[in-house]
Amino acid sequence: MGSLRGVIRQKADSDEAIPSLSVNNGIATPPDQGRGARNDNEYGYPRVAVLIVTHNAKSYLPDLIQSLKNTDYPPDRVFFIFLDNASQDKTPEIIRQEFPQAHLVALPENTGFAKGNNLAAQYAQEFYPDYLVLLNQ
């Protein structure tokens, strides 16, 4: 994940227009006219929401969390959102304890990977991200 800055920076520096999407009732739609502009800070880094859908991910979490903590992207421009699909192996508790700066949405039932990503994307809209990164556990 240390290369996230380079990937996003490359896109931000290009002239290619990449529209943000908003999610409403599980359906992605183009942004409103008022929200179409990028939210670059003074250094030119767009706001990025990294979405991670988990289910019984206890064995993957140590490496995953360490990788996320090691990212070189500006911390005020990246938001980590975990959506847990009713794990039975204490995944939400581990996330809360080991990565408290992450946002956690713990669901009472397993909604599946696709719907989990849609729900996480809907939650991410609170932060007005320019980009969504879907990261598989």
Side-chain angles (χ1 to χ4, degrees), residues 36-47:
R38 287 200 346 248
N39 296 314
D40 291 352
N41 65 355
E42 64 186 287
Y43 302 108
Y45 292 107
R47 296 169 63 91

Side-chain angles (χ1 to χ4, degrees), residues 42-123:
E42 64 186 287
Y43 302 108
Y45 292 107
R47 296 169 63 91
V48 177
V50 179
L51 314 179
I52 305 116
V53 175
T54 59
H55 178 70
N56 294 329
K58 180 180 177 178
S59 65
Y60 299 102
L61 289 178
D63 290 339
L64 173 62
I65 290 173
Q66 189 58 52
S67 178
L68 296 174
K69 286 180 177 180
N70 289 341
T71 185
D72 62 353
Y73 205 75
D76 65 326
R77 307 304 294 170
V78 65
F79 306 89
F80 299 103
I81 300 168
F82 284 84
L83 185 128
D84 185 72
N85 269 322
S87 290
Q88 301 298 310
D89 67 350
K90 301 194 183 285
T91 293
E93 291 86 352
I94 294 168
I95 294 167
R96 281 188 196 105
Q97 181 178 9
E98 300 298 324
F99 201 37
Q101 64 269 41
H103 300 267
L104 174 64
V105 179
L107 299 180
E109 63 184 38
N110 187 346
T111 61
F113 183 72
K115 187 170 183 179
N117 274 305
N118 284 334
L119 292 170
Q122 188 172 8
Y123 178 86

Side-chain angles (χ1 to χ4, degrees), residues 23-38:
V23 178
N24 191 3
N25 295 324
I27 300 171
T29 57
D32 296 337
Q33 293 293 5
R35 285 192 46 213
R38 287 200 346 248

